[in-house]
Amino acid sequence: MLVENDLTDELLVDAWQQLENSIIYYQNRPVGTVAAQDSSVEALNYDQCFIRDFVPSALAFLMAGKTEIVRNFLTETLALQSHEPQMDSFKPGPGLMPASFKVESQDGQEYLTADFGESAIARVPPVDSCLWWILLLRAYIKTTEDLTLAHQPEFQEGIRAILDMCLVHRFAMYPTMLVPDGAFMIDRRMGVYEHPLEIQVLFYAALRAAKELLLTDECNQPCLNNINRRLETLTYHVREYYWLDLQRLNEIYRFQGDEFGKEVANRFNIYPASIPNWLIQWLPETGGYLAGNLGPGRMDFRFFAAGNLLAIITSLASEAESQSIMDLIEERWQDLVGNMPMKICFPAVEGEEWRVVTGADPKNIPWSYHNGGNWPMLLWLLVAAAQRTGRSELANSAIKIAQDRLAQDEWPEYYDGKCGRLIGKEARKYQTWTFAGLLVARQLIDNPSQLKLIGFEQN
Ligand code: GLC
């Protein structure tokens, strides 16, 4: 036992060292962390600070009492927020937060440049950035117990700009947010357009966080009313209609199609023939999950880890659903965790479906990268969800699997194969959210009360 402890201590020292090495300084102040430090491949944009990648870094810092870097990050990214009023479709709309930023210099002067997707591969917009930003602001406030930063006029305005953009009423008949493909962690074409679960959960959590952060004054009241209404309908919609277990599958299997009117059972016109064969075998007797997406005539039956785990942590999933999701993970451990926690989505799309859904993307071949790869970054979310549901044995098993490999494999970005045995074909090494994620997972085990930084109580 002593030897094992020594080894894991060494591992944590290494992970902290890597995290320190990844820090980006701007005018001598720490402001973020790079995505990866793999000198063996071209950096592309991995030398930038991605908002989503910085989340586990920020949590690791906050949990260790290092709040300054997170405060600087929040302030600098707020200054980068788009305020473009004009309707130039090639520019980001007002309220949008960048996907990533980097420090550049000219004539000895440092400045920050941001990428809102106008340089990103395939020009994908980062819908998740502004939602993560609000969640990080709340985590910072929870740690410091000081609301003054959030109450500053620029911060209040920044939050309102995000909400204005997210709550705008356009062509929707659902309370979920309509987004293009690749608008979040899965930032390539993967059939995750429309109403992907991950964005809906982040949207829900950001609304709950904004409610805590906005001052209740006359200026914010309309926005707060809007938040309350949306939270109610969004919660109902996701819990009710995204939910899938054996009982629900039986109902869908016997659905009538083409029903007209307000009170119909098959509201979204899901045809039973769209139920994939794998699901009928795979869904256990106990256990269920929230489907990956829901739209007209379309239920994406794939299991997406981040959306489901975040739904547990933020209480978008009901108490019973949360337990059920953990049951499913336990029952299908080999498929969902296997040799590296955890699979980003299950199963992979293959053959003709892969060609159509991904546009024949060679990086997203079956069981690799976003298409069924295993991402160690998801470990912290798995551990947080396990703790939230009182399943610490699952948290410990997952950590053990990750710890046994990550440092030796030089902290890869992702793993390939049905069970995640191979280091990802094009995975970066020394990927920041890989070691930051392990640090957060370990901090959550040592001090479960830290869950409050990212968690929300059931309403
Ligand atoms: C890849 C991932 C994206 C991540 C970025 C930097 O593009 O898909 O989620 O933010 O790399 O690590």
Side-chain angles (χ1 to χ4, degrees):
M1 193 61 204
L2 204 72
V3 174
E4 192 166 302
N5 271 346
D6 284 352
L7 284 177
T8 60
D9 284 354
E10 225 175 89
L11 183 79
L12 292 186
V13 171
D14 184 12
W16 266 115
Q17 190 53 54
Q18 300 298 344
L19 187 60
E20 299 279 339
N21 294 347
S22 75
I23 294 177
I24 295 179
Y25 290 87
Y26 173 53
Q27 295 171 351
N28 297 322
R29 294 150 57 237
V31 289
T33 50
V34 292
Q37 306 163 86
D38 187 344
S39 49
S40 67
V41 270
E42 201 193 336
L44 297 175
N45 51 356
Y46 282 83
D47 59 352
Q48 306 212 1
C49 175
F50 280 73
I51 300 224
R52 71 176 73 88
D53 294 49
F54 185 66
V55 172
S57 299
L59 293 175
F61 287 128
L62 289 176
M63 289 174 184
K66 298 173 197 259
T67 57
E68 188 207 343
I69 181 169
V70 182
R71 187 187 177 94
N72 294 340
F73 168 88
L74 289 165
T75 312
E76 295 302 340
T77 45
L78 177 64
L80 293 172
Q81 186 180 35
S82 169
H83 294 288
E84 298 276 348
Q86 76 270 36
M87 298 306 283
D88 172 346
S89 331
F90 287 110
K91 298 233 170 85
L96 200 70
M97 285 281 183
S100 60
F101 67 85
K102 76 184 287 191
V103 181
E104 302 207 73
S105 53
Q106 201 178 15
D107 306 328
Q109 274 292 78
E110 280 187 344
Y111 60 98
L112 293 181
T113 53
D115 178 20
F116 291 87
E118 66 274 46
S119 303
I121 296 168
R123 307 289 178 264
V124 281
V127 176
D128 62 338
S129 287
C130 58
L131 307 171
W132 279 121
W133 184 87
I134 296 185
L135 292 173
L136 273 189
L137 176 59
R138 173 179 178 266
Y140 173 84
I141 302 294
K142 288 260 172 202
T143 307
T144 57
E145 294 177 356
D146 177 8
L147 266 157
T148 41
L149 185 69
H151 286 175
Q152 285 175 11
E154 319 79 88
F155 275 77
Q156 293 285 300
E157 208 180 293
I159 299 171
R160 271 198 309 272
I162 293 170
L163 295 175
D164 285 348
M165 181 178 55
C166 294
L167 291 167
V168 69
H169 204 81
R170 277 201 296 243
F171 304 114
M173 286 298 133
Y174 311 148
T176 35
M177 204 199 296
L178 182 65
V179 298
D181 217 343
F184 52 104
M185 181 202 170
I186 297 180
D187 57 0
R188 295 166 88 93
R189 187 171 154 193
M190 263 295 288
V192 289
Y193 57 92
E194 213 169 37
H195 306 104
L197 178 66
E198 182 169 329
I199 289 290
Q200 311 314 323
V201 187
L202 286 172
F203 180 32
Y204 163 88
L207 290 178
R208 285 198 66 175
K211 235 177 111 160
E212 294 175 22
L213 300 170
L214 282 174
L215 287 159
T216 42
D217 57 20
E218 221 176 293
C219 170
N220 287 338
Q221 206 48 57
C223 190
L224 285 164
N225 294 343
N226 219 345
I227 291 178
N228 284 332
R229 276 194 300 270
R230 193 62 171 258
L231 271 174
E232 208 175 301
T233 48
L234 181 63
T235 309
Y236 181 81
H237 184 89
V238 174
R239 284 186 183 178
E240 223 23 56
Y241 302 126
Y242 278 63
W243 185 248
L244 263 177
D245 58 10
L246 205 49
Q247 191 194 330
R248 183 70 180 148
L249 191 63
N250 268 296
E251 286 164 23
I252 299 174
Y253 181 65
R254 291 166 60 83
F255 264 165
Q256 303 287 313
D258 304 342
E259 293 175 303
F260 175 78
K262 291 216 166 75
E263 298 306 320
V264 299
N266 187 4
R267 279 163 198 262
F268 310 100
N269 204 29
I270 310 296
Y271 292 113
S274 70
I275 298 173
N277 285 335
W278 63 264
L279 182 66
I280 300 166
Q281 308 297 323
W282 192 72
L283 202 57
E285 292 290 323
T286 52
Y289 63 101
L290 295 164
N293 211 320
L294 184 66
R298 172 182 186 224
M299 187 169 224
D300 185 340
F301 293 92
R302 283 175 292 173
F303 172 90
F304 285 84
N308 273 282
L309 298 172
L310 273 166
I312 296 176
I313 300 162
T314 60
S315 291
L316 174 55
S318 69
E319 202 66 63
E321 287 174 351
S322 299
Q323 289 296 342
S324 237
I325 296 168
M326 294 311 293
D327 286 341
L328 176 96
I329 294 172
E330 192 170 6
E331 292 272 332
R332 295 290 175 257
W333 187 259
Q334 198 50 19
D335 290 331
L336 299 178
V337 175
N339 293 293
M340 181 52 69
M342 159 173 205
K343 199 156 280 302
I344 188 169
C345 69
F346 180 90
V349 287
E350 303 191 62
E352 196 48 29
E353 199 186 1
W354 163 77
R355 189 175 295 283
V356 174
V357 171
T358 71
D361 182 349
K363 198 163 173 185
N364 271 336
I365 51 169
W367 309 108
S368 182
Y369 201 45
H370 300 141
N371 188 11
N374 290 43
W375 288 65
M377 178 282 283
L378 294 165
L379 176 70
W380 80 267
L381 290 167
L382 176 59
V383 167
Q387 278 193 323
R388 180 83 183 70
T389 46
R391 313 288 278 263
S392 47
E393 70 295 350
L394 298 184
N396 288 328
S397 312
I399 288 191
K400 167 112 186 48
I401 296 170
Q403 271 179 185
D404 287 350
R405 289 185 72 181
L406 284 180
Q408 214 175 311
D409 293 349
E410 298 171 300
W411 311 101
E413 180 184 15
Y414 63 95
Y415 286 78
D416 282 1
K418 276 200 170 154
C419 299
R421 283 188 82 187
L422 303 168
I423 296 173
K425 211 178 186 41
E426 292 186 42
R428 307 268 148 165
K429 301 279 185 77
Y430 300 98
Q431 178 82 19
T432 300
W433 61 8
T434 297
F435 40 78
L438 176 69
L439 286 170
V440 176
R442 288 292 305 253
Q443 281 161 310
L444 282 169
I445 294 285
D446 293 346
N447 188 357
S449 72
Q450 301 276 27
L451 200 54
K452 69 172 188 293
L453 297 194
I454 199 77
F456 293 84
E457 293 300 316
Q458 288 282 343
N459 269 330

